[in-house]
Amino acid sequence: MQKWNYGIVLKKCSFNESTMDTLIFATNNPNKVKEVKSLLNSRLVVLSLSDAGIIIDIPEPFDTLEENAYEKARVIHEITGSNCFAEDTGLMVASLNGEPGVKSARYAGENKSAEENIDKLLFNLKDKSNRKAQFKTIISIIIGDTHHIFDGICKGIITYERKGRSGFGYDSIFVPEGSAKTFAEMTLEEKNIFSHRKKAFEKLMNFLTHP
């Protein structure tokens, strides 16, 4: 795998935490941080990049979720020397041959506009009767000199229009199996019943508890 170099700014960063009970989450997405922190037990502390005093935007240049997640974890591990994890999530739509997939965040362009991404997806599905889709999350964690990967999948369907005001990304057009609501119509607690991110994070938590 190719290694990429990045410009990095540390804002008065004295972070040097390497205990098992503290992990850096290699993301700038506050919505993802909020979801993950809602799943924590009392013994685990998760720090966002902002919490750790790190200003960096790590691209996702690879063709798989696994490679992108590992790249983000690798970069932050090399900067801090601390235990850290990253995730990458993709929405795979059956009738679009798995699109937007690994390019979900940038489906409509590099500005990563959720609204534009949804508009493009609904347009591409306008003549499709098969609305089956799934979210897949990959979590890549580096602890010391070891690397581990965990996944979580949530199957569902894509709606014909936006529904709900909560959530982020494609949440307003995705209804998980077993529900009549989109993710954007749910509370965070309701979403966590189905969430792909929760499923992957539970595997991570189980690993940390019973390595």
Side-chain angles (χ1 to χ4, degrees):
M1 181 187 301
Q2 179 181 354
K3 286 189 176 183
W4 296 64
N5 294 314
Y6 308 98
I8 300 160
V9 176
L10 303 183
K11 47 178 186 178
K12 297 181 180 179
C13 180
S14 59
F15 182 81
N16 189 26
E17 179 60 72
S18 59
T19 69
M20 183 66 76
D21 292 341
T22 301
L23 296 170
I24 300 178
F25 184 8
T27 185
N28 292 306
N29 188 321
N31 295 299
K32 291 183 178 182
V33 173
K34 181 179 179 181
E35 278 196 9
V36 165
K37 287 189 175 182
S38 75
L39 303 172
L40 296 178
N41 63 29
S42 59
R43 65 175 285 269
L44 184 63
V45 175
V46 168
L47 302 177
S48 67
L49 291 181
S50 177
D51 293 333
I54 301 169
I55 302 174
I56 183 175
D57 184 19
I58 306 173
E60 299 169 333
F62 298 105
D63 295 328
T64 67
L65 299 175
E66 289 81 0
E67 288 176 297
N68 283 334
Y70 172 70
E71 175 70 357
K72 289 182 281 190
R74 178 193 70 79
V75 170
I76 299 307
H77 181 68
E78 288 190 358
I79 294 171
T80 66
S82 301
N83 298 329
C84 63
F85 72 97
E87 68 92 59
D88 199 21
T89 295
L91 175 64
M92 292 80 169
V93 180
S95 61
L96 298 180
N97 299 314
E99 288 186 7
V102 72
K103 302 298 184 183
S104 292
R106 296 173 172 81
Y107 192 42
E110 288 300 316
N111 61 341
K112 297 192 287 187
S113 166
E115 293 305 307
E116 291 176 9
N117 289 338
I118 289 174
D119 287 342
K120 180 176 179 178
L121 184 61
L122 291 178
F123 178 82
N124 289 342
L125 282 173
K126 67 182 188 301
D127 298 323
K128 306 290 187 182
S129 58
N130 179 1
R131 315 288 289 194
K132 291 182 179 179
Q134 68 176 30
F135 275 113
K136 181 178 182 180
T137 288
I138 295 293
I139 291 178
S140 175
I141 184 169
I142 299 176
I143 298 177
D145 58 358
T146 65
H147 171 234
H148 306 273
I149 286 181
F150 306 94
D151 67 353
I153 292 174
C154 177
K155 297 181 181 295
I157 60 169
I158 302 298
T159 59
Y160 288 87
E161 60 184 7
R162 293 168 173 82
K163 296 181 180 180
R165 297 180 178 275
S166 300
F168 61 100
Y170 297 90
D171 283 359
S172 64
I173 59 169
F174 183 84
V175 176
E177 286 184 356
S179 176
K181 295 180 179 180
T182 68
F183 275 157
E185 294 177 293
M186 297 179 183
T187 65
L188 184 53
E189 291 74 21
E190 289 174 325
K191 181 179 178 181
N192 281 340
I193 296 172
F194 306 95
S195 171
H196 43 289
R197 194 166 287 108
K198 180 189 177 183
K199 292 173 182 177
F201 197 73
E202 282 182 336
K203 293 177 182 178
L204 169 61
M205 292 290 292
N206 185 62
F207 167 76
L208 294 176
T209 307
H210 306 98

